[in-house]
Amino acid sequence: MFSLARLTRPQALAVCALPVAALIAVAGLAPLPFAVAQPGGTANVLGEHEGKPVLTITGAPTRKTDGELRMTTIVATGPQMDVHLGDVVDGWFRTDRAVMPKEAVYPVGDNEKEVEKHNLGDMKESQDDATKAALSYLKANGVDDTDEVKVDADLGKIGGPSAGLFLALGIIDKLDGDGSGGDLTGGRSIAGTGTIKADGTVGPVGGVSMKTQGARRDGATVFLVPQAECSDAQAELPKGLRLIPVKTLSGTVDSLRALEKGEKVPSC
């Protein structure tokens, strides 16, 4: 029988450390139930994405717009991609990475095709709600001839519901601008995120600290963030990017108008 009593203290410690080292080595090689996210691309809903107009509006005249309304994204390791201990540790110590439970990133399906189908379904529903919210807002604010308006949104393979707010803002800007002949953007590059319901309610989306970094990288100076996620957006806020919290579509338009006029605007 092997006895630790016959070993010197350093020898005994070395022997005891072997199983621990082996466990650490195994943990380092074993895949973990996490996804690693980083800032993704942005798309100006007033312009084109992958060579095609993001918003195509028929049934009413549209206006030429200036400035940008940039919806933001994050990209994450795929549902079938292995994430190891080294990836997780690296993500914890980098400001341009976020480590999240895999089920929080991919709540439906366990392969890329299932996830893509689900996310594109969410995007379609978001487009429909954005159109309803925007047209309801315009009608409530005295804009005529919205009954025949049809909107088609094309963001390629970008999925999920987080572009809803910006699609609604894009529709309003193309049809009515700021309501006084100017642009809703005031000529600025404005980025942000947020889901939207048909009644104009803006909801949280997650990943905002990554999205603010992508927004600033692509030239935005203002970021519209769902109010519930203000603290998350402030966590890694890039220099030169101003946060404006939003809760409703009408409140968002009011804030953009106030920003253009140099008036007081809500802040996180």
Side-chain angles (χ1 to χ4, degrees):
M1 176 182 283
F2 180 74
S3 174
L4 291 177
R6 298 180 182 179
L7 300 177
T8 64
R9 179 178 175 79
Q11 290 173 329
L13 290 174
V15 170
C16 291
L18 288 174
V20 176
L23 287 173
I24 293 174
V26 171
L29 295 174
L32 300 174
F34 295 105
V36 179
Q38 62 185 19
T42 67
N44 176 22
V45 301
L46 298 175
E48 295 184 345
H49 178 66
E50 297 179 348
K52 298 178 181 179
V54 174
L55 290 173
T56 301
I57 300 175
T58 57
T62 58
R63 55 188 300 278
K64 184 178 180 180
T65 58
D66 193 15
E68 297 178 330
L69 287 170
R70 289 196 165 273
M71 54 81 62
T72 54
T73 68
I74 60 172
V75 293
T77 49
Q80 294 176 300
M81 185 178 295
D82 290 341
V83 173
H84 298 95
L85 182 61
D87 303 313
V88 173
V89 173
D90 179 62
W92 279 336
F93 286 96
R94 292 180 59 167
T95 59
D96 62 343
R97 298 288 189 275
V99 179
M100 296 178 282
K102 188 172 287 188
E103 63 269 19
V105 181
Y106 301 109
V108 176
D110 57 4
N111 65 61
E112 292 184 5
K113 286 187 177 181
E114 289 178 343
V115 169
E116 181 178 329
K117 182 179 179 180
H118 173 75
N119 285 343
L120 290 177
D122 280 350
M123 173 62 82
K124 180 62 171 65
E125 183 177 349
S126 178
Q127 293 171 8
D128 293 342
D129 286 343
T131 300
K132 292 174 184 176
L135 296 182
S136 294
Y137 170 85
L138 291 170
K139 189 171 185 178
N141 284 271
V143 178
D144 298 325
D145 302 324
T146 59
D147 292 339
E148 301 300 320
V149 169
K150 303 294 181 185
V151 180
D152 180 58
D154 187 351
L155 282 165
K157 291 188 176 181
I158 295 177
S162 66
L165 171 62
F166 271 66
L167 292 174
L169 291 173
I171 295 167
I172 292 171
D173 203 12
K174 281 184 171 291
L175 289 174
D176 193 48
D178 65 357
S180 301
D183 294 294
L184 196 55
T185 62
R188 296 176 175 84
S189 179
I190 295 174
T193 191
T195 63
I196 199 163
K197 294 182 179 179
D199 66 0
T201 302
V202 176
V205 293
V208 292
S209 65
M210 299 288 99
K211 292 180 177 182
T212 57
Q213 295 180 54
R216 190 69 185 110
R217 177 201 64 210
D218 290 354
T221 56
V222 175
F223 191 92
L224 306 179
V225 59
Q227 188 171 52
E229 296 180 298
C230 263
S231 59
D232 291 341
Q234 289 175 310
E236 302 293 345
L237 186 65
K239 185 177 180 180
L241 190 65
R242 178 178 183 176
L243 292 179
I244 297 179
V246 296
K247 294 190 296 183
T248 65
L249 179 59
S250 61
T252 304
V253 174
D254 289 344
S255 291
L256 291 177
R257 285 174 172 168
L259 182 67
E260 182 182 359
K261 295 176 182 177
E263 299 173 351
K264 186 176 180 180
V265 178
S267 61
C268 288

